[in-house]
Amino acid sequence: MASLLPLPEVSSPIVLKFSPSSPSLQTLFNVNRPFLYRHKQRRKTHSLFPISNTTKAVYTQGSLSISGLNTQKLVPKREKVELDTDAISILNERIRRDHGNRETARPAMDSQEADKYIKLVKEQQQRGLQKLKGNRESKEGGVFSYKVDPYTLRSGDYVVHKKVGVGRFVGVKFDVPKGSTEPIEYVFIEYADGMAKLPVKQASRMLYRYNLPNETKRPKALSKLSDTTVWERRKIKGKVAIQKMVVDLMELYLHRLKQRRPPYPKNPAMAEFAAQFPYKPTPDQKQAFIDVEKDLTEKETPMDRLICGDVGFGKTEVALRAIFCVVSAGKQAMVLAPTIVLAKQHFDVISERFSKDPGIKVGLLSRFQTKAEKEEYLSMIKKGELDIIVGTHSLLGSRVVYNNLGLLVVDEEQRFGVKQKEKIASFKTSLDVLTLSATPIPRTLYLALTGFRDASLISTPPPERVPIKTHLSAFGKEKVVAAIKYELDRGGQVFYVLPRIKGLEEVMDFLEQSFPDVNIAIAHGKQYSKQLEETMEKFEQGEIKILICTNIVESGLDIQNANTIIIQDVQQFGLAQLYQLRGRVGRADKEAYAYLFYPDKSLLTDQALERLAALEECCELGQGFQLAEKDMGIRGFGTIFGEQQTGDVGNVGIDLFFEMLFESLSKVEEHRVVSVPYQSVQIDININPRLPSEYINHLENPMEIINEAEKAAENDIWSLMQFTENLRRQYGKEPYSMEILLKKFYVRRMAADLGISRIYASGKMVGMETNMSKRVFKLMTDSMTSEAHRNSLLFEDNEIKAELLLELPREQLLNWIFQCLAELHASLPALIKY
């Protein structure tokens, strides 16, 4: 039985020297990786850039000599390389992927400005982390920890040991250590190649639960005790992914902080508007009002605030006051809801609340309107004739042109699709955004808690609200009939919810037989708009007593007299959905009931059981926030941008991933690359390609094209990539000498981005003088895919050095430097580039 011992840590990279006979020498200079090049839609070629002073183009007999980096004759030749697999194309495709198809990079921020904003981000993080820490604060020096207590583990649970990897927990048993007679408690963990035991004290410092953000909690494979290199690679992969995530957030946040808009004036009429609220605000509500008012009237940066409050706790009132502040200053406000039912309800509430001010016009854009009505509304929005526009995701369409939009209110953001969320995110850099949620999705919650979004939590219930009595049991017709009969006997109404449209008619038949004299109706999203609208209105007015529906009623529907909800096949709903559905009842001072029915416990997955247990536990009022945290534990927080695969989380499990994430957040300012101006980069390598005369004749204006190339390189890497792709589209694959020239531009551009001010070669040694820190260098080399390059690089005395076994011909040396910088440059998305 193997004991688990601490593993040695290698502090510095290994230097590999290559001999001339080494088969890997060739791979050091040529890229032979498979590569798919997708031709994009044909674009217009670049407009010509002004001629640069630094590059001189000189005609000689039958060729064009490009000087600027000293001179040496190079025999022109053409590499036999396919267009879509050469090194430049591979780099271009990576740049396109990193830039996410955006045409231009975000405007640069100077270093001093970045320092100021990074400080603000750090302060935000500290506030967010304080909220998130809760009871996870460990007693050891107040360190934030997601580690697991071994005594809370059950046999068969998967765990992660920080230094060894993923194993299966067997149990805690007493055993006598060697050379002792006193037995001590050991934790036993099964790995792929044996059993490990470690003292409980040591285990509690090293172990994490292995959870995954999807249905299956099983890891692909258990780690090996005898070989931890695979685990180390997985950990490094996770670490780099985390760093990219943090930097994406940082860049978005810094960009938002850089935006400016004049603060809204404090309107004395706000007090009169607020007085229309018929209830006494709770302390949490009051704080949320203050938070939003400060965001709008005291800050110059756009608001991005999450109002997280339970159903019926007064989130809408916070939004109404924000809308009043913006609209009374002459701007438009957009209210975005996930369903037409909820949008209609918001429209009714807003129209009633602003009815005393005839100058403010409210409009609802929905599929209930005719084409002519829609066109009229679109025209009014564009002309600024509508002040408050309410609707579903159609408001995000390209046909909706706003006149002077100032505020976006998003209700239940988690209900929108990926594309809509991306559009909402794009608004956040220029607009004030207020997001309302009872159970925010883990991703939204995480963003709020780590400080990248402001959050106001409304967790105090209004005095008249009483908790909803929740019953969770196997389905039985007699139970359903008894529950409905009780509600009808006290003059109430009932929601009967199913996960899908199929099955609604069957339930209708059963209920019509059980309650022949009761008015029953069906509602779902696929119905004709008028039919759905009429059904919802009749239910709201009390004509319909039982509404059989899908989760179309999940959000916002406020019907005071409906105080019983029956949810069938509860295992098919998400935790947040169930919580929202349950919140449809208990909106008045009457006691409310929620009946959650599952078919048979033996058919439920472990995750479904865990979800139901969490829901039963969170039956008190105001627990939507805690529930979202539980949901985050059960299914993970997903990726923050887009719906990417959760493989990076899967590498190490959620808990260790989170801990690494917080570690990364706390050191965010240490992961900075300060770029240097392109013109200040020196490349002391004697190389001067001559273009063949047939290529010169083929180009329309060679001197102008070369100057254009350098101007593109001086601008940024994206411009250089676009220039190269346009050149190849217009003139085909360039000859070898032109490729070398382009590579020189790329080398200089990448060096500038990486903070490298000088590249030189001295015999077998290549040196790169840089302003980067050793920590940044380590992060970069950890994420390099080429072991040959990674192992050949050292960092000492503010220089990146590579010692080769033999002195290379100049063009081969340039190729090597190009490949090396391309590898380092690929790490830039994981670093703050200011």
Side-chain angles (χ1 to χ4, degrees):
M1 198 180 287
S3 285
L4 205 58
L5 298 172
L7 301 167
E9 291 187 7
V10 179
S11 58
S12 58
I14 301 160
V15 181
L16 290 187
K17 294 187 178 182
F18 295 86
S19 67
S21 59
S22 167
S24 55
L25 180 65
Q26 191 62 29
T27 62
L28 195 63
F29 308 119
N30 295 324
V31 172
N32 292 315
R33 279 176 274 176
F35 177 78
L36 291 172
Y37 184 81
R38 294 186 301 280
H39 282 285
K40 303 284 174 187
Q41 219 174 351
R42 188 177 175 88
R43 284 202 177 105
K44 290 177 185 174
T45 53
H46 270 261
S47 57
L48 296 174
F49 293 98
I51 290 176
S52 163
N53 295 325
T54 56
T55 304
K56 295 181 183 132
V58 186
Y59 280 102
T60 59
Q61 289 182 351
S63 67
L64 179 66
S65 167
I66 312 304
S67 65
L69 300 174
N70 303 325
T71 58
Q72 184 191 26
K73 190 169 179 179
L74 190 81
V75 180
K77 66 167 186 170
R78 188 78 183 261
E79 276 246 87
K80 292 180 180 176
V81 185
E82 287 296 316
L83 173 60
D84 60 353
T85 55
D86 75 325
I88 290 177
S89 288
I90 290 169
L91 176 59
N92 285 350
E93 182 67 9
R94 200 259 303 153
I95 292 161
R96 189 174 288 288
R97 203 166 54 239
D98 287 349
H99 278 260
N101 285 332
R102 69 170 180 249
E103 288 299 312
T104 53
R106 289 196 183 102
M109 186 182 288
D110 69 49
S111 195
Q112 280 184 325
E113 197 181 10
D115 283 331
K116 185 178 79 178
Y117 287 129
I118 286 170
K119 189 173 175 235
L120 283 171
V121 171
K122 292 284 288 177
E123 286 168 9
Q124 275 280 74
Q125 284 168 15
Q126 290 313 308
R127 288 196 292 272
L129 289 175
Q130 283 307 116
K131 286 178 188 169
L132 189 57
K133 282 177 182 178
N135 59 4
R136 287 183 183 273
E137 196 87 60
S138 86
K139 288 171 188 171
E140 299 168 28
V143 178
F144 185 40
S145 175
Y146 266 86
K147 296 178 185 76
V148 68
D149 178 352
Y151 294 111
T152 62
L153 292 166
R154 290 182 299 193
S155 183
D157 282 354
Y158 291 101
V159 290
V160 178
H161 186 285
K162 208 168 185 176
K163 289 192 174 176
V164 179
V166 183
R168 192 185 286 111
F169 175 77
V170 176
V172 179
K173 292 178 188 174
F174 278 97
D175 201 3
V176 180
K178 281 181 185 176
S180 172
T181 53
E182 284 290 312
I184 64 166
E185 276 190 300
Y186 285 95
V187 173
F188 287 81
I189 301 166
E190 181 191 347
Y191 286 92
D193 56 351
M195 186 78 72
K197 69 171 187 180
L198 60 159
V200 169
K201 273 189 180 177
Q202 192 187 336
S204 60
R205 290 197 303 270
M206 287 288 185
L207 286 186
Y208 302 80
R209 278 187 191 277
Y210 182 85
N211 287 331
L212 279 183
N214 52 24
E215 287 295 326
T216 169
K217 290 193 177 186
R218 290 174 65 86
K220 288 177 190 170
L222 297 183
S223 301
K224 287 185 178 179
L225 283 168
S226 57
D227 179 14
T228 56
T229 53
V230 174
W231 168 245
E232 282 302 314
R233 280 202 299 273
R234 282 172 74 172
K235 216 161 65 168
I236 285 167
K237 204 175 169 189
K239 189 177 169 186
V240 171
I242 283 165
Q243 192 54 33
K244 283 187 178 179
M245 187 185 291
V246 169
V247 169
D248 274 343
L249 284 169
M250 281 289 290
E251 292 212 316
L252 202 84
Y253 190 79
L254 290 173
H255 187 56
R256 192 166 65 82
L257 285 175
K258 204 179 172 191
Q259 303 303 310
R260 286 284 175 271
R261 57 120 175 91
Y264 288 95
K266 289 191 177 183
N267 193 333
M270 174 63 90
E272 193 185 326
F273 181 80
Q276 295 173 36
F277 186 48
Y279 308 102
K280 187 185 175 187
T282 62
D284 290 350
Q285 255 185 317
K286 281 181 186 170
Q287 189 54 53
F289 296 152
I290 292 165
D291 290 344
V292 171
E293 191 178 1
K294 278 186 177 175
D295 286 347
L296 293 171
T297 62
E298 293 179 20
K299 292 183 182 175
E300 291 186 337
T301 50
M303 168 176 73
D304 181 13
R305 184 170 290 276
L306 170 70
I307 305 293
C308 182
D310 222 327
V311 284
F313 276 31
K315 300 185 297 295
T316 307
E317 180 60 22
V318 180
L320 285 167
R321 294 187 190 191
I323 291 167
F324 179 83
C325 181
V326 169
V327 171
S328 58
K331 295 254 188 176
Q332 289 174 306
M334 182 203 326
V335 180
L336 199 59
T339 64
I340 191 60
V341 171
L342 182 53
K344 175 76 167 62
Q345 189 161 323
H346 276 311
F347 173 72
D348 293 342
V349 170
I350 293 166
S351 299
E352 187 186 343
R353 197 63 185 279
F354 284 90
S355 59
K356 290 184 181 176
D357 191 337
I360 292 173
K361 290 191 168 60
V362 187
L364 173 68
L365 191 69
S366 78
R367 60 186 174 91
F368 290 169
Q369 291 163 322
T370 63
K371 195 176 179 185
E373 284 172 336
K374 261 187 195 162
E375 290 301 326
E376 188 188 347
Y377 261 58
L378 290 171
S379 170
M380 287 172 77
I381 294 167
K382 192 173 181 179
K383 289 174 187 170
E385 291 167 8
L386 280 182
D387 302 288
I388 305 166
I389 304 104
V390 186
T392 58
H393 57 81
S394 59
L395 290 181
L396 300 171
S398 55
R399 293 197 62 221
V400 189
V401 180
Y402 296 92
N403 180 278
N404 191 14
L405 189 60
L407 175 69
L408 167 63
V409 177
V410 187
D411 198 359
E412 301 301 344
E413 188 180 359
Q414 73 272 17
R415 298 279 307 280
F416 291 96
V418 181
K419 282 184 180 171
Q420 282 99 33
K421 282 181 195 146
E422 282 173 2
K423 184 76 191 239
I424 292 165
S426 72
F427 277 118
K428 287 182 182 178
T429 52
S430 54
L431 282 185
D432 290 285
V433 179
L434 191 64
T435 308
L436 314 178
S437 184
T439 47
I441 42 168
R443 185 183 305 121
T444 314
L445 178 69
Y446 156 76
L447 279 173
L449 294 179
T450 48
F452 285 107
R453 290 177 79 172
D454 295 302
S456 299
L457 311 181
I458 305 177
S459 53
T460 319
E464 70 279 1
R465 291 292 300 275
V466 287
I468 300 157
K469 289 203 166 180
T470 305
H471 302 276
L472 183 65
S473 68
F475 180 81
K477 285 188 175 181
E478 63 290 343
K479 292 178 191 172
V480 171
V481 171
I484 294 174
K485 189 173 186 305
Y486 177 79
E487 185 60 50
L488 295 178
D489 285 350
R490 64 175 186 164
Q493 292 165 270
V494 178
F495 287 104
Y496 195 119
V497 185
L498 280 90
R500 48 179 65 94
I501 295 169
K502 191 182 174 185
L504 294 177
E505 295 286 350
E506 200 180 315
V507 171
M508 180 86 164
D509 293 343
F510 150 60
L511 291 182
E512 280 180 336
Q513 285 170 20
S514 307
F515 302 96
D517 302 326
V518 175
N519 201 352
I520 305 168
I522 284 176
H524 58 77
K526 295 277 174 74
Q527 285 175 326
Y528 290 119
S529 48
K530 285 291 177 199
Q531 185 188 353
L532 178 61
E533 190 175 18
E534 280 170 19
T535 303
M536 299 313 292
E537 272 182 20
K538 282 180 182 174
F539 187 60
E540 206 171 334
Q541 288 157 13
E543 288 178 41
I544 292 167
K545 298 296 181 189
I546 305 170
L547 186 69
I548 305 164
C549 53
T550 57
N551 64 337
I552 191 170
V553 298
E554 178 186 327
S555 300
L557 203 64
D558 189 356
I559 293 165
Q560 302 280 314
N561 197 39
N563 284 299
T564 291
I565 187 164
I566 291 162
I567 305 172
Q568 193 177 313
D569 289 334
V570 68
Q571 76 285 355
Q572 291 186 30
F573 291 93
L575 193 54
Q577 270 186 319
L578 289 172
Y579 191 75
Q580 286 283 75
L581 285 166
R582 188 173 65 178
R584 293 310 101 222
V585 295
R587 309 292 291 232
D589 53 2
K590 233 180 194 181
E591 189 163 47
Y593 297 88
Y595 297 88
L596 314 182
F597 293 118
Y598 50 83
D600 181 350
K601 249 188 184 166
S602 63
L603 301 174
L604 300 183
T605 63
D606 288 347
Q607 199 188 30
L609 287 167
E610 205 173 334
R611 203 184 285 138
L612 298 182
L615 194 75
E616 246 183 337
E617 205 179 303
C618 290
C619 60
E620 290 300 309
L621 289 167
Q623 288 190 308
F625 195 69
Q626 292 94 308
L627 198 76
E629 280 205 273
K630 279 181 182 290
D631 198 17
M632 189 151 65
I634 294 168
R635 69 186 176 110
F637 59 89
T639 51
I640 287 155
F641 291 99
E643 300 294 309
Q644 298 162 16
Q645 292 303 304
T646 49
D648 298 320
V649 185
N651 279 323
V652 294
I654 289 168
D655 286 359
L656 180 55
F657 190 84
F658 254 110
E659 190 151 292
M660 288 160 76
L661 180 65
F662 290 122
E663 191 183 330
S664 189
L665 278 168
S666 65
K667 294 174 181 168
V668 76
E669 72 275 30
E670 295 172 26
H671 295 129
R672 277 181 78 188
V673 162
V674 181
S675 57
V676 295
Y678 175 84
Q679 297 294 0
S680 70
V681 178
Q682 279 180 267
I683 302 177
D684 298 338
I685 295 168
N686 275 344
I687 186 162
N688 182 31
R690 291 175 182 274
L691 300 185
S693 52
E694 60 269 25
Y695 188 64
I696 295 167
N697 295 332
H698 183 46
L699 300 177
E700 283 172 23
N701 190 334
M703 287 179 69
E704 202 163 358
I705 282 170
I706 287 151
N707 281 303
E708 206 177 314
E710 178 143 44
K711 190 67 183 171
E714 193 178 341
N715 195 16
D716 59 28
I717 192 85
W718 175 258
S719 302
L720 182 57
M721 178 272 288
Q722 285 186 313
F723 167 83
T724 311
E725 288 186 347
N726 286 334
L727 181 75
R728 289 175 168 191
R729 267 195 288 269
Q730 202 163 346
Y731 298 107
K733 174 72 173 77
E734 67 282 346
Y736 183 69
S737 51
M738 183 66 178
E739 186 185 312
I740 289 292
L741 177 62
L742 287 172
K743 280 183 177 174
K744 278 183 3 184
F745 291 135
Y746 271 97
V747 163
R748 198 169 174 194
R749 177 67 260 166
M750 289 189 287
D753 288 347
L754 292 163
I756 294 168
S757 52
R758 181 178 171 234
I759 299 173
Y760 64 94
S762 176
K764 293 175 285 188
M765 203 270 290
V766 177
M768 305 181 202
E769 293 172 7
T770 179
N771 60 20
M772 74 174 65
S773 67
K774 194 164 187 174
R775 184 186 287 275
V776 164
F777 172 77
K778 174 81 168 63
L779 188 73
M780 285 187 151
T781 48
D782 277 349
S783 63
M784 286 174 93
T785 52
S786 162
E787 281 190 43
H789 283 103
R790 179 168 56 244
N791 294 334
S792 68
L793 296 178
L794 275 173
F795 187 89
E796 55 183 47
D797 303 328
N798 294 324
E799 277 194 31
I800 298 168
K801 291 179 179 175
E803 193 177 342
L804 306 170
L805 192 66
L806 69 163
E807 198 173 336
L808 297 171
R810 291 294 178 234
E811 65 271 20
Q812 283 193 339
L813 182 61
L814 184 78
N815 281 329
W816 186 86
I817 292 166
F818 175 90
Q819 295 288 5
C820 187
L821 288 181
E823 284 273 340
L824 289 169
H825 199 269
S827 307
L828 273 183
L831 297 157
I832 304 164
K833 300 174 285 298
Y834 302 115

